[in-house]
């Protein structure tokens, strides 16, 4: 995973979902879709996926299903060009985009949807097309509304879960983690498993700092959207860092591992240490594509919670279809977006291992049943916690993530204290923001 790239959960997980959807449902949304397909004039719609997928992947995940349900829609895939920014593509006048697909963590970043003004509030369009927002898991709607408006409709979701390597627990005779653990309990487990054995330095727990801060369970914004200032020097941030990073990861046995990773951008053990080196017992990460754990004896639990806020996990991480402000075919684009929020589609999506964006319990019950994950504790891991309140994301969020991560080694090794780290981080972030906004 590249430095600032968050996983678009579900994007590469569901290769066969679209061909697996049938038209046997008679729900109102499906009936409306059939009427729309019959009445729609031929139209070309241009799609841009900010996850850097290929055209083949786009057709497998979206295009083929659109063709099946709305045969008068011709999908045009706009590839992501690393040599040309999205803003340059749009201002040049050579690129059309009707539907922009991206996750909540990415749309506000520099050069993305909101930053270049491609966003369109869909409130009136939603009313016109009789989209019932009460069907959605509330966090998926709230997450986009706190960004300033109802700019898109969620089509998939994700969250942080806790993966663990059973072999390490078995090796040291430690009981496996369970759903409903507190962060204090996780820290206790982590300390038991952070040790050296036969020349291997094992660590009990690690996380993806970028993902964790962006989806933190205390719903702390990385940057105040109104003041454009970091808010790190608060008791809430101290609590977050102390309880979820320092307590489970600060110990003598962790020291050599941190020294070995000093030159790595992620600073603390990450995917390779968990899945390849296999010296990490527990790893909190985005739910998504676990092909990198195929030959590993692993399982998963719900993210630990704070004892004073039980059953509240991470914030949700939806992916949306955004209808752009420049689209000349907004009604047709809405018909396409509606395809992916039907009970029919979301049921097949759930069966194939995707986290539904709907509240429907029946859809949640079939989660993962057509995948190898059906034998894992994945359903409880994903659904036993409620989602934390969504915090607004800004184009400067990565600056906070960088500031915390750049100091995490010294913080865990005791070379700096938490107050100093947060103060230093706040100063760094604010200076960087100020230099861009002058």
């Amino acid at each position: 995973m590249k430095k600032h790239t968050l996983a678009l959960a579900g994007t590469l997980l569901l290769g066969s979902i679209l061909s697996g959807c049938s038209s046997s449902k008679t729900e109102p949304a499906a009936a409306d879709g059939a009427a729309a397909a019959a009445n729609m004039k031929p139209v070309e719609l241009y799609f841009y996926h900010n996850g850097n997928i290929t055209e083949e992947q786009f057709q497998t995940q979206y295009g083929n299903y659109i063709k099946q349900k709305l045969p008068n829609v011709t999908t045009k895939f706009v590839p992501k060009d690393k040599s040309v920014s999205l803003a340059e593509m749009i201002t040049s006048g050579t690129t059309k985009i009707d539907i922009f697909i991206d996750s909540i963590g990415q749309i506000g970043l520099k050069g993305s949807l909101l930053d270049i003004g491609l966003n369109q509030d869909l409130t009136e369009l939603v009313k016109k097309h009789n989209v019932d927002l009460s069907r959605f898991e509330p966090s998926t709607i709230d997450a986009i509304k706190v960004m300033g408006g109802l700019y898109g409709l969620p089509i998939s979701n994700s969250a942080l879960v806790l993966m663990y390597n059973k072999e390490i627990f078995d090796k040291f005779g430690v009981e496996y983690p369970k759903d409903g653990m507190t962060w204090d309990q996780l820290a206790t487990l982590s300390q038991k498993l952070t040790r050296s054995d036969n020349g291997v330095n094992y660590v009990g727990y690690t996380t993806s700092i970028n993902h964790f801060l962006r989806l933190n369970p205390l719903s702390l914004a990385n940057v105040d959207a109104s003041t454009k200032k970091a808010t790190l020097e608060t008791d809430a941030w101290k609590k977050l860092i102390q309880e979820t990073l320092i307590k489970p990861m600060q110990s003598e046995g962790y020291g050599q591992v941190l020294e070995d990773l000093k030159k790595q951008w992620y600073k603390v053990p990450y995917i390779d240490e968990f899945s390849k080196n296999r010296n990490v017992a527990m790893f909190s990460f985005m739910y998504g594509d676990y092909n990198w754990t195929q030959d590993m004896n692993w399982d998963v639990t719900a993210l630990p919670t704070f004892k004073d806020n039980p059953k509240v996990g991470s914030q949700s991480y939806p992916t949306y279809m955004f209808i752009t402000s420049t689209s000349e075919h907004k009604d047709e684009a809405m018909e396409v977006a509606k395809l992916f929020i039907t009970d029919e589609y979301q049921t097949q999506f759930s069966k194939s291992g995707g986290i539904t964006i709907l509240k429907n319990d029946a859809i949640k019950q079939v989660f993962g049943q057509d995948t190898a994950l059906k034998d894992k504790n994945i359903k409880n891991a994903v659904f036993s916690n409620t989602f934390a309140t969504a915090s607004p994301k800004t184009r400067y969020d990565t600056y906070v993530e960088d500031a915390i991560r750049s100091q995490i080694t010294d913080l865990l090794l005791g070379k700096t204290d938490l107050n100093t780290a947060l103060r230093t981080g706040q100063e760094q972030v604010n200076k960087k923001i100020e230099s861009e906004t002058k």
Side-chain angles (χ1 to χ4, degrees), residues 65-76:
Y65 188 60
I66 295 168
K67 183 177 181 180
Q68 175 189 338
K69 295 295 185 180
L70 296 174
N72 284 347
V73 173
T74 300
T75 59
K76 297 289 186 177

Side-chain angles (χ1 to χ4, degrees), residues 13-46:
L13 181 66
L14 307 167
S16 63
I17 178 179
L18 301 178
S19 60
C21 288
S22 68
S23 56
S24 60
K25 287 274 186 178
T26 58
E27 61 186 285
D32 289 346
N39 296 325
M40 186 180 291
K41 295 179 180 180
V43 64
E44 290 184 343
L45 294 180
Y46 290 79

